[in-house]
Amino acid sequence: MAEFTVTPWEVTGEIDYEELVERFGTSRIDENLINRISKYAEPHFMLRRGIFYSHRDFDRTLSDYEKGKPFYLYTGRGPSGMTHLGHIMPWLFTKWMQDVFDAELYFQITDDEKFLFKDELTLEKAREYAYENILDIIALGFDPKKTHIFLDTEYIHNLYPIALRVAKRITFSTVRAVFGLQNSSNIGKIFYTGMQSAPAFLGSELSGEPINCVVPCGIDQDPHFRVTRDVAPFLGYPKTTMIYCKLLPSLLGGDKMSSSVPESTIYTTDTPKQVKKKIGKAFTGGAVSVEEQRKNGGNPDVCMVYHYLRYIFEPDDEKLKKVYDECMAGERLCGQCKMELTGKINRFLEKHQEKREEAKEMLEDFILRD
Ligand code: TYM
């Protein structure tokens, strides 16, 4: 079996998501759960396609919801750089969840985390990225009345008492085992998971009663939330509900998109020319020659251009299937797919960048301050 690693700080190798469900002990999002969700809305294409594919306790939270108990949403971003399309993926889904379930959303920006975990990053720079990332979040159209975004270093007054209560229940040996810390790790890293747990209880704290909290995010964040969930009952709160997506792969194939390899990644601030160049160099499932491809077809399953359509840019299942079938049959070549994907991404980014500009005037409608 191929080796792979998935932690909040490192994703390497070709991820076997089925194996990861076993390794992490999460549950699969199955037909039954999707049918239950379809009572409220046409299931999002990321659910239909198994991109949001795994969960912890979402069935229980849905049963509570059916009995009239609402839940709130919580997700986050570690501001170590500009936003890329991989980050946008769970946020698009979170926005859908907010719309369908009319839920409050707490959005944590962990400038403290990135300062502690990135040697070269200053706190000032992390905050600068935080505000850049917040523009992307607002640009996605979250409801300003129901969306509360905060930076850890600015909203600490409210987070700290919760993080402390969490921290008191976690031992050093647990943190060391879960996150692979060493004797040489700085001590901020040991405490940090308490900070990421805090918003899972913030909604309950602020309202004065236990409320279910649902966290849509990438599967890489699961180690944190295993700890959060273990602690929840000691604090008198329901175990945090998780709903996890697979990771948008690198354009070059293999691992998830990485900010440290710019060609593997499309940023929300990229120009049309940059997008065209990056998609032009993407790893595809094309054959060695046009003749060969016309004769034997391509391989969409390994093709990053196809995956970008599947993960984000082609919500229409029928159109996606057509691309798949035509590629397999050798009726469609990589150039055509690359051109179509470039067009879709650039149209998305043009609008997104306009909304990002408008978001500069809306910051205070979203940011939660002490
Ligand atoms: P961060 O900033 O690394 O990532 C933000 C969100 O994007 C997801 N993600 C991806 N999803 C799909 N494809 C990818 N290639 C990809 N890369 C990243 C992450 O899973 C995450 O959902 N420690 C967190 C910040 C945080 C947080 C949270 C995240 C604080 N509280 C609660 C999720 C939920 C971090 O550094 O995320």
Side-chain angles (χ1 to χ4, degrees):
M1 194 192 337
E3 283 293 311
F4 65 93
T5 314
V6 177
T7 73
W9 300 289
E10 192 189 24
V11 176
T12 56
E14 185 118 1
I15 305 168
D16 178 339
Y17 285 101
E18 291 307 308
E19 148 88 11
L20 207 53
V21 164
E22 305 298 331
R23 236 191 240 184
F24 284 178
T26 59
S27 306
R28 287 184 183 79
I29 295 179
D30 57 14
E31 281 287 314
N32 187 21
L33 191 56
I34 294 181
N35 282 340
R36 289 182 68 188
I37 296 170
S38 67
K39 272 194 239 152
Y40 302 97
E42 164 76 11
H44 193 280
F45 72 86
M46 291 184 194
L47 283 169
R48 297 198 304 267
R49 295 180 189 167
I51 294 167
F52 265 84
Y53 83 114
S54 149
H55 74 106
R56 291 183 186 273
D57 279 347
F58 192 59
D59 42 356
R60 172 191 46 87
T61 298
L62 214 48
S63 299
D64 285 349
Y65 186 80
E66 280 158 7
K67 289 182 210 133
K69 279 174 79 178
F71 59 79
Y72 73 93
L73 295 161
Y74 155 42
T75 196
R77 161 73 179 140
S80 55
M82 300 300 274
T83 304
H84 64 52
L85 295 179
H87 304 128
I88 293 277
M89 240 182 70
W91 302 348
L92 288 169
F93 184 77
T94 305
K95 151 105 176 77
W96 179 81
M97 293 275 290
Q98 177 173 67
D99 292 345
V100 171
F101 295 99
D102 194 25
E104 298 283 328
L105 165 65
Y106 289 92
F107 211 123
Q108 179 180 38
I109 312 290
T110 56
D111 52 344
D112 53 348
E113 174 193 12
K114 293 299 154 171
F115 171 63
L116 290 166
F117 283 88
K118 296 260 167 190
D119 288 340
E120 71 292 359
L121 193 67
T122 63
L123 202 46
E124 291 68 29
K125 194 69 192 166
R127 281 199 184 153
E128 209 177 296
Y129 283 135
Y131 278 93
E132 290 289 344
N133 296 163
I134 291 172
L135 297 179
D136 289 302
I137 297 162
I138 295 175
L140 294 181
F142 289 102
D143 179 349
K145 291 201 185 67
K146 290 185 167 271
T147 304
H148 318 287
I149 307 174
F150 52 90
L151 270 66
D152 281 354
T153 57
E154 291 179 356
Y155 195 58
I156 188 66
H157 177 74
N158 286 284
L159 298 172
Y160 196 50
I162 313 175
L164 279 177
R165 270 182 254 138
V166 172
K168 198 169 178 177
R169 291 284 172 181
I170 309 172
T171 64
F172 175 47
S173 72
T174 298
V175 174
R176 192 170 44 190
V178 174
F179 300 108
L181 299 185
Q182 287 150 5
N183 280 352
S184 57
S185 302
N186 72 55
I187 60 171
K189 291 184 183 180
I190 305 171
F191 182 75
Y192 169 71
T193 199
M195 290 299 295
Q196 185 154 332
S197 292
F201 311 120
L202 181 67
S204 298
E205 288 278 328
L206 293 178
S207 73
E209 56 176 342
I211 308 178
N212 284 325
C213 169
V214 177
V215 186
C217 66
I219 186 74
D220 59 326
Q221 299 298 311
D222 186 61
H224 281 298
F225 292 106
R226 290 204 290 269
V227 174
T228 311
R229 284 168 51 85
D230 284 349
V231 168
F234 295 106
L235 272 60
Y237 293 126
K239 285 198 172 193
T240 313
T241 300
M242 306 304 304
I243 174 156
Y244 290 128
C245 65
K246 299 177 181 172
L247 302 173
L248 186 70
S250 155
L251 271 176
L252 304 175
D255 317 349
K256 74 163 183 174
M257 283 190 144
S258 165
S259 305
S260 50
V261 188
E263 315 83 75
S264 76
T265 307
I266 290 174
Y267 294 97
T268 58
T269 46
D270 277 354
T271 62
K273 228 170 135 185
Q274 284 170 314
V275 172
K276 186 165 181 239
K277 196 165 161 207
K278 289 179 185 181
I279 298 298
K281 290 190 179 156
F283 181 82
T284 72
V288 284
S289 68
V290 170
E291 293 72 41
E292 168 91 18
Q293 192 160 339
R294 289 258 180 241
K295 191 162 151 246
N296 296 326
N299 182 357
D301 292 316
V302 300
C303 175
M304 291 308 133
V305 176
Y306 174 72
H307 281 307
Y308 275 58
L309 291 171
R310 197 173 83 84
Y311 273 76
I312 310 190
F313 290 102
E314 184 48 86
D316 184 321
D317 290 345
E318 267 178 40
K319 287 191 186 152
L320 186 72
K321 183 169 182 310
K322 193 159 175 275
V323 170
Y324 189 92
D325 292 345
E326 287 177 1
C327 172
M328 291 286 280
E331 290 161 11
R332 160 184 279 273
L333 299 178
C334 299
Q336 182 186 349
C337 267
K338 283 182 170 176
M339 199 177 71
E340 287 174 9
L341 178 63
T342 304
K344 281 176 189 287
I345 297 180
N346 279 337
R347 282 192 293 279
F348 169 80
L349 288 186
E350 191 188 338
K351 276 212 195 97
H352 183 81
Q353 287 166 8
E354 272 171 32
K355 289 193 212 135
R356 226 179 157 273
E357 277 307 304
E358 291 163 17
K360 291 180 181 166
E361 305 301 317
M362 296 157 73
L363 281 170
E364 294 310 315
D365 297 340
F366 284 89
I367 293 187
L368 200 54
R369 302 201 184 272
D370 282 343

